[in-house]
């Protein structure tokens, strides 16, 4: 049963990574693959209502500053591992190129206040 749940989570994460536009160039496609394999466990939401370990990433991440994103990936933080010995510089560049293609999330509709009639 645990194996099925793990396989389902992996499939959902992979599907979310592939839900991006098909107009990606070769570098962005590599970035999507590396992101799904190395970053998705923390940065992709596997199913509705499940929280992620890290923030959802999109083109506005780090205010659009590629060097800040690169520093996070290379050096890590107190909550994120460093990838400087795991990913090649070209793979890091590809991840950044891919993240720049991820659109901003749609604004959540205003939730009704408790006690208000529907």
């Amino acid at each position: 049963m645990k194996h099925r749940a793990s396989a389902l989570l992996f499939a959902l994460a992979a599907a979310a990574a592939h839900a991006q536009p098909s107009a990606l160039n070769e570098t962005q496609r590599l970035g999507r693959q590396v992101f799904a394999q190395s970053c998705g466990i923390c940065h992709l939401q596997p199913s509705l209502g499940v929280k992620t370990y890290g923030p959802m990433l999109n083109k506005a991440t780090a205010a659009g500053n590629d060097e800040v994103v690169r520093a996070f990936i290379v050096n890590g933080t107190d909550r994120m591992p460093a990838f400087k010995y795991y990913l090649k510089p070209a793979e890091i560049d590809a991840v950044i190129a891919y993240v720049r293609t991820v659109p901003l999330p749609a604004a959540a509709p205003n939730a009704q206040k408790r006690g208000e009639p529907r």
Side-chain angles (χ1 to χ4, degrees):
M1 186 63 160
K2 286 184 181 181
H3 177 70
R4 287 184 188 168
S6 296
L8 176 62
L9 287 176
F10 180 75
L12 289 172
H18 291 288
Q20 299 304 316
S22 60
L24 299 177
N25 65 32
E26 186 177 333
T27 300
Q28 293 163 338
R29 285 192 302 272
L30 171 63
R32 179 178 62 189
Q33 177 185 353
V34 173
F35 183 87
Q37 292 172 340
S38 301
C39 313
I41 190 70
C42 293
H43 293 285
L44 287 175
Q45 193 167 2
S47 64
L48 295 175
V50 176
K51 300 285 185 188
T52 59
Y53 291 110
M56 300 299 289
L57 303 179
N58 58 53
K59 62 184 177 181
T61 297
N65 187 327
D66 292 352
E67 292 308 313
V68 171
V69 175
R70 183 174 286 102
F72 274 109
I73 296 170
V74 169
N75 301 315
T77 67
D78 57 342
R79 295 183 57 185
M80 180 180 131
F83 286 89
K84 62 185 164 192
Y85 301 116
Y86 179 71
L87 297 177
K88 297 174 186 163
E91 292 173 320
I92 293 171
D93 292 341
V95 167
I96 294 168
Y98 167 68
V99 168
R100 294 293 168 236
T101 69
V102 178
L104 297 170
N110 291 338
Q112 287 188 341
K113 295 179 183 176
R114 289 186 188 200
E116 286 186 6
R118 292 184 183 204

